[in-house]
Amino acid sequence: MADQLEVQQTRALQVESNGLNVIADADRKGRPSQLFWPWFGANVSVLGLSYGAFALGFGISFWQAVIAGVIGVVFSFLLCGLIALAGKRGSAPTMVLSRAAFGVRGNKLPSLVSWLLTVGWETVLTILATLATATVFERLGWGGGNLTKVIALVVVGLLTVACGVLGFDLIMRAQTVITVVTGVLTVVYIILVADQIHWSTVSALPSGSSQAVIGALVFLMTGFGLGWVNAAADYSRYLPRESSSRGVVGWTTFGGSVAPVVLLVFGLLLAGSSADLSKAIGADPIGALASALPTWFLVPFVIVAVLGLVGGAVLDIYSSGLALLSLGLPVKRYVAAFIDGVVMIAGTIYVVFYGGDFLGQFQGFLITLGVPIAAWCGIMLADIAARRRNYAEDDLYRPNGRYGDVQWLPVATMLVATGIGWGLVTNTLASWLTWQGYLLGPLGLGGKGGAWAYANLGVLAALVIGFLVQWFGRGAAVRRQEASA
């Protein structure tokens, strides 16, 4: 047992050699239940509490927000679980398996979107960790100015980049530790601030329109599981082929959604009890949560906040590196992860020191990239559902193989669905996105100032269009392709 543990520790500190390749049978290991740890560790962040304020910002009641949150979070992680099935079947990264639907070179379009999304998320999480550390240190009287932000950025950046460069084994071990530490400290946080909740104030929040509820639901979908679908198979690809499909779907969905649901409900109670706190979360989502804490717990709070955010950033930087490779960058996986780390740190420096209002840009980022990734997700789900056999691994890398060079229908579908989706969302809080929503008027939905303006129907529309067109347009061809193989 001691020798086995030593081997595992040694492997965790070695640079992973796997990149876009298919994982060899001898290296496939584990059980579906082990998928719980990376997904739980990446989503147990106290950032989930802040989503309570974000949801109530749609002008809805507590119970409406709970319903929207539970449906949005669980459904979005169910999408991750379904796409994780491709990893078990093909043992390759998500954006390599996507080539079966888009063609080997046609897949460069979703790979680009995936890279932008994962790099964006890891940057957002690093920004939040940096701001939270500075806020807490300022309250402790230990600084809080630019020097504190620089130190926090260096620490968070090094942790994230190190895990991304070293790879899968270290990530799995790190996520287990992060899960335990952040889980325990988050429970302590909830206990300490529970007396800040005033049910009479929360229950008195007025109900909003059905359009507002849909808008909150879609926002929570994009903020949670939908932001992970393009990485969902990156971890299930290490499982043996005979692993339970239900287990892969179930443990991915459960691991990803259980913490966000609990944190969101408590965050709704907390934000609904204080309009000032809800407003403060918009400027500094995690730092604002520290204002309700006793001084003695501020250092543990920094630990839980930073570790939770690093847990998410680590999965993102690993997957963003793989997405960069799938675009055709001729480097090793660890070099791609390092490049993404540089981009992440540069983006953090810009936002933290020069970026201005955070929440508006954050919401705009989520919804804008949520549309094309939803279109890709629909196409990928239909492709997975149409297949009954494992992937032809060699053909995932050959333009003249069974999956082809460019599959024009899914490529065109993704572009058209994105165009339609962007026409049905609005991003007035981000000045550079005010051009969106151009279909709300022509389709009789009241225009950009109408009742449906903030329902963000474009994300749902892109998901459904992608699935239906791929299923009816390519499903039969995929089944014939497998039958003739």
Side-chain angles (χ1 to χ4, degrees), residues 42 45-51 54 120-136 149 152-153 156 223 280-290 301-302 304-310 312-313 316 344 347-349 351-352 357-359 362 365-366:
S45 167
V46 291
L47 175 61
L49 295 169
S50 299
Y51 275 87
F54 299 158
W121 261 114
E122 69 199 47
T123 303
V124 164
L125 295 173
T126 305
I127 291 167
L128 290 173
T130 303
L131 292 176
T133 302
T135 299
V136 172
K149 293 177 181 178
L153 174 56
V156 172
I281 287 174
D284 186 358
I286 293 182
L289 295 172
F301 177 79
V302 168
V304 67
V306 170
L307 282 180
L309 295 168
V310 167
D316 276 320
M344 173 191 77
T348 302
I349 291 172
V351 173
V352 168
D357 175 61
F358 173 76
L359 180 57
F362 180 52
F365 163 76
L366 286 178

Side-chain angles (χ1 to χ4, degrees), residues 467-480:
F467 182 87
L468 292 178
V469 173
Q470 180 70 8
W471 178 259
F472 290 105
R474 289 276 304 158
V478 167
R479 289 188 287 273
R480 288 194 302 270

Side-chain angles (χ1 to χ4, degrees), residues 14-21 23 38-39 91-95 114-115 118-119 122 159-172 175 228 230-238 310-326 332-338 340-341 344:
Q14 292 177 343
V15 176
E16 180 190 359
S17 59
N18 290 314
L20 296 186
N21 58 287
I23 304 301
W39 289 110
S91 298
T94 312
M95 298 316 297
S114 176
W115 181 75
T118 47
V119 167
E122 69 199 47
L159 285 173
T160 303
V161 174
C163 287
V165 167
L166 292 178
F168 178 80
D169 287 305
L170 180 60
I171 289 173
M172 294 297 284
Q175 293 295 66
W228 290 109
N230 54 311
D234 291 350
Y235 305 94
S236 58
R237 68 180 176 137
Y238 285 87
V310 167
V314 162
L315 292 196
D316 276 320
I317 195 171
Y318 183 77
S319 294
S320 67
L322 294 174
L324 192 58
L325 292 179
S326 68
K332 298 289 187 180
R333 183 205 58 80
Y334 59 86
V335 176
F338 181 79
D340 287 344
M344 173 191 77

Side-chain angles (χ1 to χ4, degrees), residues 55 58-69 71-72 206-221 451-452 454-457 460:
F58 283 84
I60 57 179
S61 69
F62 169 77
W63 289 114
Q64 286 178 319
V66 169
I67 293 171
I71 295 174
S207 297
S209 65
S210 57
Q211 295 93 332
V213 174
I214 294 172
L217 186 153
V218 175
F219 176 75
L220 293 169
M221 279 181 58
W452 288 98
Y454 300 100
N456 294 316
L457 294 176
L460 297 177

Side-chain angles (χ1 to χ4, degrees), residues 52-144:
F54 299 158
L56 293 178
F58 283 84
I60 57 179
S61 69
F62 169 77
W63 289 114
Q64 286 178 319
V66 169
I67 293 171
V70 171
I71 295 174
V73 171
V74 175
F75 177 69
S76 65
F77 279 108
L78 175 60
L79 298 179
C80 289
L82 293 171
I83 288 180
L85 284 175
K88 188 201 74 163
R89 291 180 182 177
S91 298
T94 312
M95 298 316 297
V96 170
L97 298 168
S98 178
R99 293 173 177 176
F102 287 84
V104 175
R105 288 197 301 169
N107 193 62
K108 290 185 183 295
L109 171 63
S111 293
L112 175 60
V113 175
S114 176
W115 181 75
L116 290 172
L117 185 65
T118 47
V119 167
W121 261 114
E122 69 199 47
T123 303
V124 164
L125 295 173
T126 305
I127 291 167
L128 290 173
T130 303
L131 292 176
T133 302
T135 299
V136 172
F137 275 37
E138 184 175 7
R139 184 177 166 191
L140 287 168
W142 297 353

